[in-house]
PDB file of all heavy atoms in Angstrom:
ATOM      1  N   LEU A  14      19.118 -69.341 -74.186  1.00 49.00           N
ATOM      2  CA  LEU A  14      19.864 -68.205 -74.663  1.00 49.00           C
ATOM      3  C   LEU A  14      21.211 -68.731 -75.278  1.00 49.00           C
ATOM      4  O   LEU A  14      21.596 -68.190 -76.447  1.00 49.00           O
ATOM      5  CB  LEU A  14      20.373 -67.328 -73.500  1.00 49.00           C
ATOM      6  CG  LEU A  14      19.160 -66.377 -72.924  1.00 49.00           C
ATOM      7  CD1 LEU A  14      19.661 -65.587 -71.681  1.00 49.00           C
ATOM      8  CD2 LEU A  14      18.599 -65.342 -74.003  1.00 49.00           C
ATOM      9  N   LEU A  19      24.230 -69.590 -80.292  1.00 44.00           N
ATOM     10  CA  LEU A  19      24.873 -70.448 -81.066  1.00 44.00           C
ATOM     11  C   LEU A  19      24.289 -70.511 -82.486  1.00 44.00           C
ATOM     12  O   LEU A  19      24.974 -70.464 -83.554  1.00 44.00           O
ATOM     13  CB  LEU A  19      25.056 -71.862 -80.490  1.00 44.00           C
ATOM     14  CG  LEU A  19      25.758 -72.906 -81.306  1.00 44.00           C
ATOM     15  CD1 LEU A  19      27.210 -72.414 -81.561  1.00 44.00           C
ATOM     16  CD2 LEU A  19      25.652 -74.296 -80.658  1.00 44.00           C
ATOM     17  N   ALA A  52      40.986 -79.041-115.707  1.00 98.00           N
ATOM     18  CA  ALA A  52      39.507 -78.980-115.694  1.00 98.00           C
ATOM     19  C   ALA A  52      38.833 -80.106-116.492  1.00 98.00           C
ATOM     20  O   ALA A  52      37.636 -80.475-116.196  1.00 98.00           O
ATOM     21  CB  ALA A  52      39.016 -77.648-116.168  1.00 98.00           C
ATOM     22  N   MET A  59      34.442 -79.774-115.766  1.00 96.00           N
ATOM     23  CA  MET A  59      33.598 -79.822-116.811  1.00 96.00           C
ATOM     24  C   MET A  59      32.630 -81.005-116.697  1.00 96.00           C
ATOM     25  O   MET A  59      31.568 -80.956-117.411  1.00 96.00           O
ATOM     26  CB  MET A  59      34.339 -79.797-118.184  1.00 96.00           C
ATOM     27  CG  MET A  59      35.094 -78.576-118.449  1.00 96.00           C
ATOM     28  SD  MET A  59      34.119 -77.074-118.445  1.00 96.00           S
ATOM     29  CE  MET A  59      34.624 -76.356-116.880  1.00 96.00           C
ATOM     30  N   PHE A  70      27.393 -94.764-123.048  1.00 94.00           N
ATOM     31  CA  PHE A  70      28.277 -95.247-122.004  1.00 94.00           C
ATOM     32  C   PHE A  70      29.108 -94.156-121.356  1.00 94.00           C
ATOM     33  O   PHE A  70      29.846 -93.395-122.160  1.00 94.00           O
ATOM     34  CB  PHE A  70      29.175 -96.403-122.447  1.00 94.00           C
ATOM     35  CG  PHE A  70      30.040 -96.969-121.448  1.00 94.00           C
ATOM     36  CD1 PHE A  70      29.534 -97.717-120.412  1.00 94.00           C
ATOM     37  CD2 PHE A  70      31.401 -96.675-121.443  1.00 94.00           C
ATOM     38  CE1 PHE A  70      30.289 -98.331-119.359  1.00 94.00           C
ATOM     39  CE2 PHE A  70      32.219 -97.153-120.391  1.00 94.00           C
ATOM     40  CZ  PHE A  70      31.621 -97.941-119.307  1.00 94.00           C
ATOM     41  N   ALA A 125      28.342 -63.960-103.135  1.00 92.00           N
ATOM     42  CA  ALA A 125      27.556 -63.285-102.104  1.00 92.00           C
ATOM     43  C   ALA A 125      27.874 -63.553-100.705  1.00 92.00           C
ATOM     44  O   ALA A 125      27.235 -63.086 -99.713  1.00 92.00           O
ATOM     45  CB  ALA A 125      26.012 -63.718-102.350  1.00 92.00           C
ATOM     46  N   GLN A 140      43.551 -77.618-101.154  1.00 98.00           N
ATOM     47  CA  GLN A 140      44.745 -78.253-100.845  1.00 98.00           C
ATOM     48  C   GLN A 140      45.718 -78.290-102.008  1.00 98.00           C
ATOM     49  O   GLN A 140      46.867 -78.646-101.826  1.00 98.00           O
ATOM     50  CB  GLN A 140      44.632 -79.641-100.292  1.00 98.00           C
ATOM     51  CG  GLN A 140      43.829 -79.770 -98.958  1.00 98.00           C
ATOM     52  CD  GLN A 140      43.733 -81.199 -98.542  1.00 98.00           C
ATOM     53  OE1 GLN A 140      44.570 -81.914 -98.418  1.00 98.00           O
ATOM     54  NE2 GLN A 140      42.337 -81.614 -98.531  1.00 98.00           N
ATOM     55  N   ASN A 161      22.190 -69.741-119.409  1.00 95.00           N
ATOM     56  CA  ASN A 161      21.565 -70.844-118.794  1.00 95.00           C
ATOM     57  C   ASN A 161      21.421 -70.582-117.336  1.00 95.00           C
ATOM     58  O   ASN A 161      22.407 -70.786-116.526  1.00 95.00           O
ATOM     59  CB  ASN A 161      22.354 -72.258-118.899  1.00 95.00           C
ATOM     60  CG  ASN A 161      21.639 -73.366-118.406  1.00 95.00           C
ATOM     61  OD1 ASN A 161      20.441 -73.498-118.552  1.00 95.00           O
ATOM     62  ND2 ASN A 161      22.391 -74.216-117.696  1.00 95.00           N
ATOM     63  N   PRO A 171      18.988 -80.580 -91.101  1.00 86.00           N
ATOM     64  CA  PRO A 171      19.704 -79.441 -90.387  1.00 86.00           C
ATOM     65  C   PRO A 171      20.907 -79.008 -91.370  1.00 86.00           C
ATOM     66  O   PRO A 171      21.653 -78.194 -90.854  1.00 86.00           O
ATOM     67  CB  PRO A 171      20.174 -79.987 -89.187  1.00 86.00           C
ATOM     68  CG  PRO A 171      20.450 -81.402 -89.416  1.00 86.00           C
ATOM     69  CD  PRO A 171      19.411 -81.818 -90.371  1.00 86.00           C
ATOM     70  N   PHE A 185      46.758 -74.127 -99.024  1.00 97.00           N
ATOM     71  CA  PHE A 185      47.463 -74.353-100.272  1.00 97.00           C
ATOM     72  C   PHE A 185      48.753 -75.103-100.134  1.00 97.00           C
ATOM     73  O   PHE A 185      49.445 -74.975 -99.217  1.00 97.00           O
ATOM     74  CB  PHE A 185      47.843 -72.949-100.991  1.00 97.00           C
ATOM     75  CG  PHE A 185      46.540 -72.273-101.419  1.00 97.00           C
ATOM     76  CD1 PHE A 185      46.308 -70.962-100.949  1.00 97.00           C
ATOM     77  CD2 PHE A 185      45.590 -72.726-102.259  1.00 97.00           C
ATOM     78  CE1 PHE A 185      45.186 -70.281-101.363  1.00 97.00           C
ATOM     79  CE2 PHE A 185      44.435 -72.030-102.635  1.00 97.00           C
ATOM     80  CZ  PHE A 185      44.317 -70.741-102.211  1.00 97.00           C
ATOM     81  N   TYR A 200      48.850 -85.965-104.425  1.00 98.00           N
ATOM     82  CA  TYR A 200      48.338 -84.613-104.808  1.00 98.00           C
ATOM     83  C   TYR A 200      47.297 -84.675-106.029  1.00 98.00           C
ATOM     84  O   TYR A 200      46.242 -84.030-105.895  1.00 98.00           O
ATOM     85  CB  TYR A 200      49.586 -83.797-105.338  1.00 98.00           C
ATOM     86  CG  TYR A 200      49.250 -82.443-105.920  1.00 98.00           C
ATOM     87  CD1 TYR A 200      49.075 -81.318-105.016  1.00 98.00           C
ATOM     88  CD2 TYR A 200      49.002 -82.226-107.188  1.00 98.00           C
ATOM     89  CE1 TYR A 200      48.668 -80.049-105.556  1.00 98.00           C
ATOM     90  CE2 TYR A 200      48.606 -81.032-107.699  1.00 98.00           C
ATOM     91  CZ  TYR A 200      48.437 -79.938-106.926  1.00 98.00           C
ATOM     92  OH  TYR A 200      48.130 -78.755-107.400  1.00 98.00           O
ATOM     93  N   SER A 240      29.773 -97.274-106.860  1.00 95.00           N
ATOM     94  CA  SER A 240      31.212 -97.085-107.135  1.00 95.00           C
ATOM     95  C   SER A 240      32.056 -98.193-106.742  1.00 95.00           C
ATOM     96  O   SER A 240      31.733 -98.981-105.882  1.00 95.00           O
ATOM     97  CB  SER A 240      31.725 -95.741-106.480  1.00 95.00           C
ATOM     98  OG  SER A 240      31.580 -95.900-105.118  1.00 95.00           O
ATOM     99  N   LEU A 288      35.990 -90.956-120.263  1.00 94.00           N
ATOM    100  CA  LEU A 288      36.467 -90.295-121.527  1.00 94.00           C
ATOM    101  C   LEU A 288      37.264 -89.071-121.060  1.00 94.00           C
ATOM    102  O   LEU A 288      38.154 -88.681-121.773  1.00 94.00           O
ATOM    103  CB  LEU A 288      35.371 -89.817-122.510  1.00 94.00           C
ATOM    104  CG  LEU A 288      34.852 -90.963-123.427  1.00 94.00           C
ATOM    105  CD1 LEU A 288      34.041 -91.927-122.710  1.00 94.00           C
ATOM    106  CD2 LEU A 288      34.065 -90.288-124.537  1.00 94.00           C
TER     107      LEU A 288
END
Side-chain angles (χ1 to χ4, degrees):
L14 286 172
L19 178 61
M59 295 302 107
F70 180 73
Q140 299 178 56
N161 185 39
F185 296 123
Y200 176 84
S240 61
L288 278 74

